[in-house]
Amino acid sequence: MSSKERNIFIAQNPAAAALFFDEVIQGFIRIILRYDPSSVSAEQNGLFGRCCGYYGMVEAQGRGTLHCHMLVWIEGNPSPQALRDRMHDSPGFADSMFRWLESIIKCELPSTTELVVETEGAMEAPPLPAGTLDPRLHRDPTMSSLAEDDFQTAFRETVEELVILSNWHGHRETCWKHLKNGEPRNDKSCRMRIDGSVNPLTRIDPETESIIMRRLHPRINNFNDLIIFLLRCNMDIKYVGSGEAAKALVYYITDYITKGTLATHVGLAAVEYAIKMNNIKFDPEDSPRYEQAEVNRSLFTKTVMALMSKQEMSHQQVMSYLVGGGDSYTSHSFKVVKWGDYDRHIARQERDLTEVAPALPESESNVDP
């Protein structure tokens, strides 16, 4: 199939796409994370260590395909402050920590061993030679069919091809979608923070005390070589080593639960259109002819319909609820907090306490302190 034919096939088969996505995520949890709270065997250690919890939210991209943002908790990971203290007090521990991070988070091509410095603007990813099959469609090299050294070579070559195709960052409109009118669109304002900078060594920033990863290539987004080899798609990976970063990521990921998919300006335009159409139906000059309740009912109906017509869900999102894994993947169950009911209950309690509290006699309430 050509790329166009594959896109058409996916668009015509959203249930198959949702099922495949669910299979991929379940495989990631089962094989990469190896989450199994009932086992204490060291064999249950996953790629990053022993996973003690995960929380992932599913989102649809603009073109409708699904992707997942997931937080993973690793057993034994110290608190942000304890981690800072140990790294400051023990250079050996800091070196071990840096080596572990560099083993799971890559910021350069497998063949890159020296700093790559841009001299003439942003480097562009090399194009695929004409007639070359998309690397994501290649048959994977396997350990069972190759000698160990040959497999390692094939593994690195495959990862390099996949990273160039999937994780080489080139600025797009989405990089600047939060900028205001007139703000410059350049490396510094890229919200993905791929600004062309490089860093020869993993180190601790003396000002923020955050860990800055080694980055030998200015345009390669963070990836894990094994994950990109298995999933064959673009990815991102980040170690959460500070309280601020943890809060930001928790908010970013869980925000998908509550954030509206309808932009404010689009919603307001829909409301304006509903009012306009209602005024055409019920001419204000002939208002005595109509019952106000009828006018209000019509306006309410038109407003709701106008707003609903602007809400969009991809076919794959809908099918993920029907045949896939839904909109989240979690290791633990959670209680639903009905915040509205809770808030109203507290408000009633405060009001009742205020009403029950005896009022001071006027003579006492006017006494100077």
Side-chain angles (χ1 to χ4, degrees):
M1 284 186 178
S2 66
S3 177
K4 181 179 179 180
E5 290 172 334
R6 292 197 302 273
N7 290 335
I8 293 174
F9 179 82
I10 290 297
Q12 293 176 341
N13 296 273
L19 283 170
F20 178 74
F21 177 79
D22 180 58
E23 185 69 21
V24 168
I25 299 300
Q26 296 290 358
F28 175 82
I29 295 168
R30 184 177 65 256
I31 299 170
I32 301 298
L33 299 183
R34 288 193 176 182
Y35 176 74
D36 184 0
S38 63
S39 175
V40 295
S41 170
E43 295 180 356
Q44 285 304 124
N45 287 352
L47 178 62
F48 309 117
R50 184 181 295 277
C51 173
C52 56
Y54 59 87
Y55 187 99
M57 287 302 302
V58 178
E59 183 198 21
Q61 301 179 103
R63 56 189 175 186
T65 54
L66 304 177
H67 67 279
C68 184
H69 299 261
M70 184 177 287
L71 287 169
V72 177
W73 283 264
I74 303 301
E75 186 178 287
N77 188 60
S79 67
Q81 188 57 53
L83 179 63
R84 291 193 192 99
D85 293 342
R86 289 190 65 182
M87 295 183 75
H88 280 299
D89 297 340
S90 173
F93 175 80
D95 289 341
S96 297
M97 185 71 184
F98 292 160
R99 285 196 300 271
W100 176 69
L101 288 173
E102 290 175 358
S103 72
I104 61 173
I105 302 176
K106 311 293 184 181
C107 308
E108 58 272 336
L109 297 172
S111 62
T112 304
T113 57
E114 303 291 338
L115 283 177
V116 178
V117 180
E118 294 177 327
T119 57
E120 299 180 358
M123 296 175 59
E124 295 186 359
L128 282 175
T132 302
L133 182 66
D134 188 322
R136 292 168 294 191
L137 304 178
H138 288 175
R139 186 179 297 275
D140 295 340
T142 60
M143 297 182 68
S144 60
S145 61
L146 296 171
E148 183 175 350
D149 290 344
D150 294 336
F151 174 77
Q152 291 295 335
T153 300
F155 175 83
R156 287 192 295 270
E157 291 174 350
T158 301
V159 169
E160 180 132 353
E161 291 177 342
L162 292 171
V163 171
I164 290 174
L165 185 66
S166 302
N167 264 50
W168 188 302
H169 182 78
H171 294 318
R172 299 180 178 86
E173 284 300 315
T174 186
C175 295
W176 303 300
K177 70 178 185 178
H178 297 313
L179 294 182
K180 298 178 181 178
N181 290 335
E183 290 185 322
R185 298 186 172 193
N186 51 33
D187 282 344
K188 292 183 179 180
S189 59
C190 173
R191 71 186 186 96
M192 308 300 179
R193 299 183 180 179
I194 304 295
D195 58 3
S197 61
V198 290
N199 181 43
L201 296 171
T202 301
R203 57 187 174 85
I204 298 177
D205 188 312
E207 295 183 2
T208 63
E209 294 189 327
S210 60
I211 298 175
I212 300 177
M213 289 296 301
R214 180 186 70 184
R215 177 178 295 279
L216 301 184
H217 197 288
R219 297 295 159 182
I220 300 300
N221 193 35
N222 297 4
F223 70 96
N224 176 272
D225 51 0
L226 180 58
I227 294 177
I228 203 169
F229 175 81
L230 294 175
L231 300 188
R232 311 184 82 77
C233 63
N234 65 304
M235 64 163 295
D236 195 2
I237 181 171
K238 178 180 177 62
Y239 174 72
V240 184
S242 69
E244 291 78 9
K247 292 175 184 177
L249 278 173
V250 168
Y251 173 79
Y252 177 75
I253 291 176
T254 57
D255 187 40
Y256 287 108
I257 303 172
T258 56
K259 74 174 183 180
T261 57
L262 187 65
T264 302
H265 69 280
V266 176
L268 292 176
V271 172
E272 181 185 23
Y273 175 78
I275 295 173
K276 177 181 177 181
M277 297 306 295
N278 206 60
N279 287 339
I280 293 175
K281 180 178 179 180
F282 300 98
D283 190 340
E285 295 182 0
D286 296 333
S287 56
R289 295 173 49 196
Y290 309 109
E291 293 289 339
Q292 188 60 44
E294 181 184 3
V295 176
N296 293 344
R297 188 182 305 110
S298 174
L299 177 59
F300 177 78
T301 302
K302 289 184 181 298
T303 301
V304 171
M305 296 302 294
L307 289 172
M308 290 182 64
S309 69
K310 299 297 182 181
Q311 293 279 7
E312 296 180 357
M313 286 190 72
S314 74
H315 289 170
Q316 292 185 37
Q317 278 182 293
V318 175
M319 297 310 298
S320 68
Y321 288 101
L322 299 177
V323 300
D327 60 4
S328 64
Y329 293 87
T330 62
S331 57
H332 295 66
S333 58
F334 301 89
K335 295 293 185 181
V336 175
V337 177
K338 297 183 178 179
W339 179 255
D341 293 341
Y342 174 79
D343 184 60
R344 285 189 291 272
H345 174 73
I346 296 299
R348 282 196 300 269
Q349 293 294 319
E350 290 180 342
R351 185 173 61 252
D352 293 344
L353 288 173
T354 303
E355 293 174 353
V356 171
L360 290 174
E362 185 175 351
S363 58
E364 294 184 21
S365 61
N366 292 330
V367 175
D368 293 333

